Amino acid sequence: MNIKTGNIEISQHSFIRVQERYPNFGKNKRAATEYIRSLLKTAEYIGIVPDNEGVDGHMFSYAKKIAIYLNMEGNLVTTLYDIERDNREHISFRDKVVDFYKKELRKIHRSEMAKRKKAEELSIKYEAEIAVLKYKKYKTRSENVRIECDNLIESLENELATINKDIKDTQSEKRHIAIAIATNNF
């Protein structure tokens, strides 16, 4: 949703919430309005979500820490609050999310093991090829053959480095998913 922050006003309720929760920015209504406008410039649009009273509004999230609700017309901020509450237990499809994370963790684990096995096999193969190329480079008198050997050695080493980087990336993703499962943070 595209909003023009210059046209946005804040309700009395929002002004009171800014004074309570962010006193440095709630000295007067104009300062509070400017503060909320500045938040909305970089806030992420979440969607149409009912507030605690059941009234639909456009919900925005600033830095995944502050929820900002605008009315359906998108010109009035109705409320804002910190998103520090843990409402994960109230999500009806929570078990499906947990199962999905665990399933993805198993998939990534299998993928990592396959990549490791392939990397080990290629490492042994490439080390042998590199040894042959080094020997060939040592024995030859031709400068062109030496350059060709150096290029081939470099390409084999680069391919091994790429494979190892891919394994490290997979391990990092696996670690993040495992931490999310362990901390119940999703």
Side-chain angles (χ1 to χ4, degrees):
M1 174 183 182
N2 280 336
I3 58 166
K4 295 181 181 169
T5 57
N7 300 334
I8 293 177
E9 298 297 323
I10 64 171
S11 67
Q12 186 62 27
H13 175 79
S14 297
F15 176 56
I16 292 168
R17 294 299 167 251
V18 170
Q19 286 179 321
E20 289 173 357
R21 297 174 179 141
Y22 318 102
N24 294 342
F25 303 103
K27 293 178 175 47
N28 56 46
K29 194 164 186 173
R30 183 169 178 234
T33 303
E34 289 305 315
Y35 174 64
I36 294 174
R37 285 178 182 167
S38 71
L39 296 180
L40 283 169
K41 285 180 184 174
T42 57
E44 177 186 4
Y45 180 68
I46 304 299
I48 297 175
V49 180
D51 61 14
N52 290 340
E53 282 77 39
V55 178
D56 282 343
H58 296 284
M59 181 181 176
F60 289 82
S61 170
Y62 173 76
K64 303 197 185 310
K65 293 183 180 180
I66 300 173
I68 305 168
Y69 279 87
L70 272 67
N71 65 354
M72 288 304 290
E73 291 77 34
N75 60 0
L76 180 70
V77 176
T78 56
T79 191
L80 75 154
Y81 56 85
D82 290 328
I83 309 175
E84 292 181 28
R85 301 179 296 199
D86 183 7
N87 66 351
R88 293 177 286 215
E89 297 303 319
H90 302 291
I91 299 172
S92 61
F93 55 87
R94 179 142 188 78
D95 293 337
K96 291 179 184 177
V97 173
V98 171
D99 290 343
F100 178 75
Y101 268 72
K102 288 180 178 178
K103 187 183 300 181
E104 287 301 311
L105 183 65
R106 289 190 301 271
K107 282 183 191 176
I108 289 173
H109 176 72
R110 287 191 303 270
S111 171
E112 177 197 359
M113 291 299 117
K115 288 176 184 178
R116 279 178 158 184
K117 185 174 182 178
K118 179 182 176 187
E120 186 177 356
E121 179 183 327
L122 286 177
S123 178
I124 293 168
K125 178 182 174 189
Y126 289 173
E127 285 173 8
E129 288 180 23
I130 289 171
V132 168
L133 289 168
K134 284 181 179 179
Y135 181 72
K136 183 178 179 181
K137 179 182 165 186
Y138 174 76
K139 286 300 240 175
T140 189
R141 291 183 181 182
S142 169
E143 188 61 33
N144 287 340
V145 172
R146 284 189 185 118
I147 292 171
E148 185 181 321
C149 287
D150 284 338
N151 290 339
L152 287 172
I153 289 169
E154 185 180 345
S155 72
L156 291 172
E157 288 173 343
N158 287 341
E159 191 171 336
L160 278 176
T162 302
I163 291 169
N164 287 329
K165 183 188 178 310
D166 187 35
I167 290 171
K168 293 286 184 196
D169 292 344
T170 302
Q171 288 173 337
S172 176
E173 184 178 6
K174 181 179 168 183
R175 190 170 36 259
H176 289 295
I177 293 171
I179 289 170
I181 291 170
T183 59
N184 208 14
N185 189 14
F186 38 78

